[in-house]
Amino acid sequence: MTTINDIAKMANVSRTTVSRALNNSGYVSEDVRKKIMSIVEETGYMPSVSAKSLRTKRSGVIGIILPRISTETASRLVNGINDVLSKQGFQILLTDTELQKDKEIEYIRLLKSRQVDGIILSATNINDELLQTIQDVDLPFVSLGQDFPGVTSVVYDDYAASVDVTNMLIQKGYDKIAFIGVGEEDPSVGYERKQAYLQTMAKHDLPVQDHWVETGDFSIESGYEGMKRILQNHDAQPNAVFAVTDRMAIGAMEYLKEQGYKIPEDVAVTGIGASVMSKYVSPSLTTVDYFNKEAGEEAARALLGQLQGKNTSKKIKNSYRLILRDSV
Amino acid sequence: MTTINDIAKMANVSRTTVSRALNNSGYVSEDVRKKIMSIVEETGYMPSVSAKSLRTKRSGVIGIILPRISTETASRLVNGINDVLSKQGFQILLTDTELQKDKEIEYIRLLKSRQVDGIILSATNINDELLQTIQDVDLPFVSLGQDFPGVTSVVYDDYAASVDVTNMLIQKGYDKIAFIGVGEEDPSVGYERKQAYLQTMAKHDLPVQDHWVETGDFSIESGYEGMKRILQNHDAQPNAVFAVTDRMAIGAMEYLKEQGYKIPEDVAVTGIGASVMSKYVSPSLTTVDYFNKEAGEEAARALLGQLQGKNTSKKIKNSYRLILRDSV
DNA sequence: CTGAAAGCGCTTACAG
DNA sequence: CTGAAAGCGCTTACAG
């Protein structure tokens, strides 16, 4: 391994000067600079990041905590984050909690010990311990998808989007709308979307049967099972179902098709997420585009802002768009 | 930030001893160890990774180079890699070439300078400069999906899988089989799969019209366009099409459906990849499962092996499985 | 079983 | 414009 000392020797200067030339800090005469640079070029020298980081307390690495690494949403987020960050010379350190919430805390600590310069967290829940940990690490921090009090957060307008979906369904004449959600410990996906549905139904004086409201776990399978349980009760069958994620909506569609229900004639279906799949299932799925990639970019930009000292906790609400397709 | 010196002071021992207690290296009396550990616990001390890495020349980070971060295949690979690596205390540093092949070389160098302990590369092409770079960095290295001479490679059996797909089509009675591939600078996806198709057709004395063989770029859109061009010529229309990726197959299906062709009655369609989507499009897509997650695990294990000094370049062929569904 | 000292490869006041 | 020196937080021979 060639080090800064080797370069210094070869160029007949001190390593101080080499460092200055490399980092464009302080004065270095043109001649010397050129000489150094050409030697760097020749040798393919690259500064040791650990030495640099030990000295400067900055690593050039941003930690990202995701609930699931292998989902379309995660991919898009990472894509957006990476686009913005890599342009500024930052690298990404990815961690995957696999939906275990104690891991969120564990990874925040781990990333801190890895000297990351900042953290972007896509959480599936909010709790005091987590909040406390975020305070403790005292690092530039952005929450993505959940609104953490006192923490810069890039959020989706879950409530408004779900109101829009429900209203759209109602306007199209559906009056018996079922719902497949996720657990309410997830404020954004679990709580907000459900409240929006419930309150919009109430606003229109549309009754909601108890057995119309089901809870899944983000998986296609759980959408299938949820739909099954909803239709088990033959008395009061819904004529539409609002699933809070595309995957669960697609699971619901599977069950409906299997049972010979026509979509949307017998039961209309909607999702959220605008997955690629939603476009290619039959019938194509009405859904909401959350612009995940843009949200990732937003989060990265917010983090960059904090890195440059603008230390105000901000709330950024990303936009969304209803995509009307054949399942309604 | 509390450092090893702080802990040493608090425990009335030298930092040498603290280091030994922390790393279970050398002798430390039970009493002292307990004392140190309780102080570590209390303070929440975490060793500085950069200092450690500067000293030991190991970072605990593995670099991964992907052609596209936001695809299902990439997600599954990363998932598998992460599963294996995180258990051994390794972190992942992800980079995305966005299909630009000069970036593969750039990222290998970058990762090296970041002191990663090893690299896993999922390349879309093979060339001498790339090969040279891999030699130069002289790091534990695993190629995933391409067979690099002299480099440990985890590969899919592209040839055999594509022979199987073609044979299956032929056995089902399809005799006019078109093909949508990708550029041949990609040995695995571009070259191998095409050769398998061509040679299997030849073996069965089935003619292949020139205009039946199209080249896409992995995108759904390019599958759509490829199918369109193939059917443009009304003289010799195929009764099946073998697309080398699910996404292109789904694009082809879109065009077929749009034009009123029945699948599989008029034209059968097959893909490769076993994407989630392939199961939920209508008709469901016949495809090949490449067990990407397992391949990722394999690659991680191979890398771990090299990290432990077993420095033999190995070739690992991952298995695959044909999934017969309704599009054939 | 424990500690003093050297050194990993950088950057950054400080001095000239 | 340039350099000597200190120091970042660790680990690891070496000595006892």
Side-chain angles (χ1 to χ4, degrees):
Chain A
M1 271 278 306
T2 88
T3 72
I4 196 171
N5 282 309
D6 302 329
I7 306 293
K9 241 171 263 171
M10 290 165 124
N12 282 316
V13 294
S14 72
R15 60 168 179 261
T16 309
T17 305
V18 177
S19 173
R20 278 198 278 257
L22 253 26
N23 298 297
N24 288 311
S25 58
Y27 300 97
V28 181
S29 70
E30 243 340 271
D31 282 4
V32 175
R33 178 186 304 278
K34 269 185 196 150
K35 193 168 173 191
I36 291 173
M37 285 319 195
S38 83
I39 293 176
V40 166
E41 195 75 17
E42 256 172 48
T43 56
Y45 163 74
M46 306 221 66
S48 153
V49 174
S50 9
K52 193 168 188 158
S53 148
L54 174 59
R55 188 50 233 247
T56 59
K57 307 286 170 207
R58 317 180 85 256
S59 61
V61 175
I62 301 296
I64 304 185
I65 305 173
L66 258 19
R68 292 245 81 146
I69 222 165
S70 56
T71 66
E72 213 170 314
T73 307
S75 300
R76 291 176 185 168
L77 290 177
V78 172
N79 205 207
I81 294 169
N82 194 47
D83 269 11
V84 173
L85 254 29
S86 68
K87 266 178 205 134
Q88 306 295 321
F90 284 96
Q91 289 293 310
I92 281 176
L93 203 49
L94 258 197
T95 60
D96 179 352
T97 66
E98 293 168 333
L99 296 170
Q100 298 159 248
K101 51 187 188 170
D102 50 324
K103 286 218 169 178
E104 290 172 347
I105 292 172
E106 187 187 325
Y107 282 141
I108 292 175
R109 296 231 176 87
L110 179 76
L111 289 170
K112 167 85 173 184
S113 85
R114 290 232 163 239
Q115 259 83 43
V116 297
D117 294 338
I119 293 177
I120 297 177
L121 167 67
S122 166
T124 56
N125 72 102
I126 292 189
N127 61 69
D128 289 346
E129 204 189 339
L130 180 52
L131 211 49
Q132 190 55 49
T133 309
I134 298 176
Q135 313 292 2
D136 286 351
V137 294
D138 189 33
L139 231 43
F141 201 103
V142 175
S143 163
L144 186 36
Q146 300 285 358
D147 188 352
F148 276 83
V151 177
T152 295
S153 307
V154 175
V155 294
Y156 307 110
D157 202 340
D158 285 290
Y159 192 88
S162 294
V163 166
D164 284 3
V165 169
T166 315
N167 271 330
M168 178 273 295
L169 247 16
I170 294 170
Q171 271 161 33
K172 297 251 181 192
Y174 300 98
D175 53 355
K176 288 175 267 178
I177 306 174
F179 179 86
I180 303 177
V182 301
E184 301 193 20
E185 60 284 358
D186 184 326
S188 298
V189 186
Y191 184 79
E192 289 290 327
R193 298 186 192 178
K194 186 173 178 178
Q195 287 306 311
Y197 154 76
L198 254 21
Q199 292 174 9
T200 307
M201 291 295 276
K203 203 170 180 178
H204 290 265
D205 289 324
L206 292 173
V208 172
Q209 307 283 333
D210 281 355
H211 73 277
W212 286 356
V213 179
E214 272 292 338
T215 304
D217 65 2
F218 292 94
S219 69
I220 293 179
E221 184 60 20
S222 74
Y224 180 98
E225 295 298 332
M227 192 75 256
K228 188 178 191 172
R229 284 192 300 271
I230 289 170
L231 294 178
Q232 220 95 287
N233 189 328
H234 291 275
D235 296 343
Q237 296 221 335
N239 49 21
V241 59
F242 169 15
V244 301
T245 73
D246 278 4
R247 295 175 69 85
M248 295 196 299
I250 283 163
M253 281 176 61
E254 276 302 291
Y255 183 76
L256 288 169
K257 287 198 264 182
E258 216 178 275
Q259 298 296 313
Y261 288 89
K262 286 216 177 100
I263 307 169
E265 292 80 0
D266 300 331
V267 183
V269 182
T270 67
I272 290 185
S275 60
V276 174
M277 221 194 322
S278 70
K279 189 171 168 188
Y280 295 101
V281 287
S282 299
S284 58
L285 180 66
T286 287
T287 184
V288 180
D289 189 354
Y290 261 19
F291 303 114
N292 301 111
K293 189 180 172 188
E294 282 76 0
E297 292 170 1
E298 262 328 325
R301 264 184 242 114
L303 196 69
L304 247 23
Q306 285 185 52
L307 250 13
Q308 288 152 9
K310 296 164 202 144
N311 224 337
T312 48
S313 117
K314 287 193 301 184
K315 302 298 175 188
I316 301 158
K317 204 161 258 180
N318 214 44
S319 60
Y320 64 89
R321 184 172 56 99
L322 229 65
I323 302 179
L324 301 175
R325 290 201 283 234
D326 303 336
S327 68
V328 170
Chain B
M1 269 279 305
T2 89
T3 73
I4 196 171
N5 282 310
D6 302 328
I7 305 293
K9 242 171 260 169
M10 290 165 126
N12 282 314
V13 295
S14 73
R15 61 168 179 263
T16 308
T17 304
V18 176
S19 172
R20 276 199 278 257
L22 252 27
N23 298 297
N24 288 310
S25 58
Y27 299 97
V28 182
S29 70
E30 245 337 273
D31 282 5
V32 174
R33 179 188 304 278
K34 268 185 196 149
K35 193 168 172 189
I36 292 174
M37 284 320 194
S38 82
I39 294 176
V40 166
E41 194 76 15
E42 255 172 49
T43 54
Y45 164 74
M46 305 221 68
S48 153
V49 174
S50 9
K52 193 168 190 158
S53 149
L54 174 59
R55 188 49 234 247
T56 61
K57 308 287 170 206
R58 318 179 85 256
S59 61
V61 175
I62 302 296
I64 304 186
I65 306 174
L66 258 20
R68 292 246 82 140
I69 222 164
S70 56
T71 66
E72 215 171 312
T73 306
S75 300
R76 291 175 183 170
L77 290 177
V78 172
N79 204 207
I81 294 170
N82 194 47
D83 269 11
V84 172
L85 254 29
S86 67
K87 267 178 204 133
Q88 306 295 321
F90 285 96
Q91 289 293 311
I92 280 176
L93 203 50
L94 257 197
T95 60
D96 180 351
T97 66
E98 293 168 334
L99 296 171
Q100 297 160 250
K101 50 186 189 171
D102 50 323
K103 287 219 169 176
E104 290 172 346
I105 291 171
E106 188 187 325
Y107 282 141
I108 292 175
R109 297 231 174 88
L110 179 77
L111 289 170
K112 166 88 172 181
S113 84
R114 291 232 164 238
Q115 259 84 41
V116 297
D117 294 337
I119 293 177
I120 297 177
L121 167 67
S122 167
T124 56
N125 72 102
I126 293 189
N127 62 69
D128 289 346
E129 204 189 340
L130 181 51
L131 212 47
Q132 190 56 51
T133 309
I134 296 176
Q135 314 290 6
D136 286 351
V137 293
D138 188 34
L139 232 43
F141 201 104
V142 174
S143 163
L144 186 35
Q146 300 284 358
D147 188 352
F148 276 83
V151 178
T152 295
S153 307
V154 175
V155 293
Y156 307 109
D157 201 340
D158 285 290
Y159 192 87
S162 295
V163 166
D164 285 3
V165 168
T166 315
N167 272 330
M168 179 272 297
L169 247 15
I170 295 171
Q171 269 160 33
K172 298 251 181 195
Y174 299 98
D175 54 354
K176 288 176 266 176
I177 306 174
F179 178 87
I180 303 176
V182 303
E184 301 194 19
E185 61 284 357
D186 183 326
S188 298
V189 185
Y191 184 77
E192 289 292 327
R193 298 185 191 179
K194 186 172 178 179
Q195 287 305 311
Y197 154 76
L198 253 20
Q199 292 173 9
T200 307
M201 291 295 277
K203 202 169 180 180
H204 290 263
D205 289 324
L206 292 174
V208 171
Q209 305 283 332
D210 281 355
H211 72 278
W212 286 356
V213 180
E214 271 292 338
T215 303
D217 64 2
F218 292 92
S219 69
I220 293 179
E221 184 61 20
S222 75
Y224 180 98
E225 294 298 333
M227 191 76 256
K228 187 179 191 172
R229 284 192 300 269
I230 288 170
L231 294 178
Q232 219 95 287
N233 189 328
H234 291 274
D235 295 342
Q237 295 220 334
N239 49 21
V241 60
F242 169 15
V244 301
T245 72
D246 278 4
R247 295 175 68 85
M248 295 195 300
I250 284 162
M253 282 177 59
E254 275 303 291
Y255 183 75
L256 289 168
K257 287 197 265 182
E258 216 178 276
Q259 298 295 312
Y261 289 87
K262 285 217 176 97
I263 306 169
E265 292 80 359
D266 299 332
V267 183
V269 182
T270 67
I272 289 185
S275 60
V276 174
M277 220 193 324
S278 69
K279 189 172 169 188
Y280 296 99
V281 288
S282 298
S284 58
L285 180 65
T286 287
T287 184
V288 180
D289 190 353
Y290 261 18
F291 303 115
N292 300 113
K293 189 180 173 192
E294 281 76 1
E297 292 170 0
E298 266 321 329
R301 264 184 242 114
L303 196 70
L304 247 22
Q306 285 185 51
L307 250 11
Q308 288 152 11
K310 297 164 202 143
N311 224 336
T312 48
S313 114
K314 288 193 300 183
K315 301 299 176 188
I316 299 159
K317 204 161 259 180
N318 214 44
S319 58
Y320 64 91
R321 183 172 55 99
L322 229 65
I323 301 179
L324 301 175
R325 290 201 283 236
D326 304 336
S327 68
V328 171

